[in-house]
Amino acid sequence: MTLLCCLLLAACGAGTTRQAGLTTSSQPATALPGVQAAASAAPPAPQMVFPLTTASLMGKSIKEIVGLYGAPHLKLREPTAEIWQYRKAACVLEMVMVGDQANARVTYVEVRSRKDGVSSDSCAPIVGELARSTVAPPQGA
């Protein structure tokens, strides 16, 4: 076992690793003559925390929230903030966005009941249930 660990460490230090028949190098790749490397125009999509909770929504941008939930069912504009609501039959997810349109972030999240006899605690799953089906948690989450 010790020998195996030493071999793995030696392979990491050499700048080249071999894994499942593939060889990767720590050296930068060079383009073939006459072929230009494509520049990455868009940054990678933000990583979402799963399972979704009210705490995991704090600090998210408008773009991130729209990516998760789509357009809100209700949007109220205040001078310094926007209040967004997403609804299900018995529950509502409400977020307050503060900042200008380009930089607004979620500063408050609340889940509550819309009906008598439905507890706010039973509405907690709405945070994940309302997320678009196109946003799936990573495998194993």
Side-chain angles (χ1 to χ4, degrees), residues 77-93:
R77 287 193 174 98
E78 298 292 329
T80 59
E82 286 188 5
I83 300 167
W84 288 19
Q85 283 189 355
Y86 294 91
R87 301 175 183 163
K88 287 199 97 168
C91 302
V92 65
L93 169 62

Side-chain angles (χ1 to χ4, degrees), residues 51-106:
L52 292 170
T53 64
T54 55
S56 70
L57 297 177
M58 294 295 292
K60 299 287 185 228
S61 69
I62 288 177
K63 184 176 181 177
E64 290 171 312
I65 295 300
V66 170
L68 276 173
Y69 297 107
H73 296 116
L74 176 68
K75 186 188 294 188
L76 301 171
R77 287 193 174 98
E78 298 292 329
T80 59
E82 286 188 5
I83 300 167
W84 288 19
Q85 283 189 355
Y86 294 91
R87 301 175 183 163
K88 287 199 97 168
C91 302
V92 65
L93 169 62
E94 188 170 85
M95 290 177 255
V96 176
M97 311 277 196
V98 175
D100 62 32
Q101 188 70 21
N103 299 310
R105 299 283 176 179
V106 176

Side-chain angles (χ1 to χ4, degrees), residues 11 14 46-47 63 71 81 110 126:
Q47 289 289 14
K63 184 176 181 177
E110 182 180 5
I126 191 176

Side-chain angles (χ1 to χ4, degrees), residues 30-38:
T30 57
L32 295 174
V35 178
Q36 289 184 340

